[in-house]
Amino acid sequence: MSNEKLLDIKDLTIHYITDDGVVHAVNHLNLSLDRGETVGLVGETGAGKTTTALGILRLVPDPPGKIIGGEIFLNGEDIVAKTEAEMRKIRGNKVSMIFQDPMTSLNPVMPIGEQIAEVILLHEKMSAAEAMKRAEDMLQKVGIGPERSKEYPHQFSGGMRQRVVIAIALACNPELLIADEPTTALDVTIQAQVLELMRGLKTEFNTSMIMITHDLGIVADICDKVAIMYAGSVVEFSDKYTLFKDPKHPYTIGLFGSIPDITNDDDVLKPIKGLMPDPSNLPSGCPFHPRCDKALPQCSETMPQLVDVGDNHFVKCLLYSGQGVE
């Protein structure tokens, strides 16, 4: 395994086992991330993006969630095999996550400075006073005056709360930061500020990042590589320039077709027909085949493999793999 590879997910499968049946949230997912790199994880709601992130942190709620199979290597060590005590040392220290809604991520009855200091004390040997000093420094880095460290979450706006969450996530200088739609709850101007802040801090701390989003504009702005997810697995993966210029998978082409293009005179967008399949009842073969304009007869029977179509551009589609295609 190359030393440059920070994260390497192999054949990850995560199910939610409920009374109504098994929800196949993540299915044989493969994904890797190099040091200092930002990968965008893109897909519709229900594609399995957040479950993948929770799997990396081993925070899939159990029950009903369970990692059924696969390996998640962080620095060459398999996270799936680690004990809960070992994971507590990794979370917040080596891997941190920024969740969608900053209000529910913060403790409403604890001053924000103490919330940042708490994470630092958990992972670093220092006094409470030193941890508070570091917490105030982190607040300053995210553009909040250290004098506000004694204030409570309700005294901050949504954008400011998201900055506090970013300060907590970066307090111990993690190697990997997972951002789960970090700008969803914010208005557009604040979104731009938060993304700019994250980009700057990522460079300053030399952190690798997984940006979970369904916004291809954010991907173009922030990410180096893009993984397109559909029905719990990666269907296309490449650097962002290749993906935007030459998308291969019919689903990726459909995503781009449903975005307005100001350089085009088309009056009507081309949405992808149908809906994302129910993860508790996935179609046979390729899960995208019922919605795919290019579906072959074999697509309903054969699950395609992820194949390299050149220059580390991977596609999971029978049109490119040659499986069963004459």
Side-chain angles (χ1 to χ4, degrees):
M1 188 176 296
S2 125
N3 292 333
E4 287 306 301
K5 208 171 267 191
L6 174 68
L7 180 75
D8 195 14
I9 303 175
K10 296 184 173 179
D11 208 31
L12 180 66
T13 298
I14 302 174
H15 292 170
Y16 292 101
I17 298 150
T18 70
D19 293 342
D20 297 329
V22 177
V23 177
H24 300 261
V26 175
N27 303 298
H28 304 291
L29 178 133
N30 293 283
L31 183 69
S32 64
L33 177 70
D34 291 345
R35 291 184 186 284
E37 191 173 70
T38 299
V39 169
L41 207 52
V42 181
E44 292 169 86
T45 302
K49 307 185 295 294
T50 300
T51 300
T52 301
L54 293 174
I56 295 167
L57 284 159
R58 286 265 309 278
L59 285 175
V60 176
D62 178 10
K66 213 164 189 54
I67 295 178
I68 300 294
E71 300 160 312
I72 303 169
F73 291 103
L74 182 72
N75 281 326
E77 294 182 20
D78 187 7
I79 281 178
V80 177
K82 292 206 176 293
T83 64
E84 180 54 29
E86 289 172 320
M87 283 309 302
R88 279 199 288 270
K89 292 195 175 88
I90 291 170
R91 292 186 204 115
N93 189 19
K94 290 193 164 71
V95 185
S96 278
M97 185 159 172
I98 299 169
F99 293 92
Q100 278 189 30
D101 182 1
M103 199 58 215
T104 54
S105 306
L106 295 169
N107 184 335
V109 296
M110 193 176 187
I112 59 156
E114 283 182 31
Q115 296 195 47
I116 303 170
E118 184 179 48
V119 178
I120 297 164
L121 285 168
L122 197 61
H123 295 294
E124 318 241 343
K125 289 184 171 63
M126 57 171 65
S127 70
E130 288 169 324
M132 186 53 81
K133 174 75 180 78
R134 166 110 60 106
E136 289 174 354
D137 291 345
M138 282 308 303
L139 281 175
Q140 206 144 19
K141 281 194 192 301
V142 297
I144 297 174
E147 69 282 353
R148 299 196 67 185
S149 65
K150 293 180 176 57
E151 293 181 20
Y152 293 84
H154 73 268
Q155 293 172 276
F156 292 81
S157 67
M160 284 296 195
R161 283 197 293 262
Q162 194 61 292
R163 286 166 185 263
V164 173
V165 171
I166 292 167
I168 291 171
L170 291 173
C172 292
N173 196 2
E175 295 174 272
L176 173 62
L177 178 65
I178 302 170
D180 187 1
E181 310 217 6
T183 57
T184 298
L186 310 175
D187 67 50
V188 177
T189 48
I190 306 297
Q191 273 189 26
Q193 289 173 15
V194 168
L195 288 171
E196 192 54 50
L197 172 72
M198 286 176 71
R199 188 196 281 113
L201 290 171
K202 174 191 169 298
T203 307
E204 183 180 337
F205 287 93
N206 192 29
T207 308
S208 302
M209 187 156 74
I210 294 175
M211 173 69 80
I212 297 173
T213 183
H214 52 252
D215 186 333
L216 287 161
I218 288 176
V219 170
D221 197 19
I222 293 270
C223 301
D224 304 308
K225 291 184 178 165
V226 193
I228 304 287
M229 274 190 83
Y230 186 81
S233 70
V234 172
V235 294
E236 186 158 7
F237 179 78
S238 80
D239 68 87
K240 72 175 173 192
Y241 299 105
T242 304
L243 191 98
F244 276 67
K245 208 164 65 195
D246 187 22
K248 299 282 192 197
H249 196 283
Y251 177 62
T252 314
I253 293 165
L255 284 182
F256 282 108
S258 54
I259 300 170
D261 182 355
I262 55 170
T263 60
N264 239 335
D265 290 338
D266 293 347
D267 294 333
V268 183
L269 293 174
K270 303 183 199 73
I272 304 167
K273 67 183 183 191
L275 297 168
M276 174 82 76
D278 176 352
S280 62
N281 184 26
L282 291 175
S284 60
C286 170
F288 186 60
H289 85 261
R291 304 175 70 187
C292 182
D293 293 335
K294 298 195 172 79
L296 304 163
Q298 304 91 313
C299 293
S300 62
E301 295 153 23
T302 309
M303 172 63 85
Q305 301 299 313
L306 205 57
V307 291
D308 190 345
V309 293
D311 295 332
N312 288 324
H313 184 173
F314 294 90
V315 185
K316 196 173 190 176
C317 178
L318 291 182
L319 292 171
Y320 301 96
S321 69
Q323 291 168 264
V325 181
E326 297 304 323

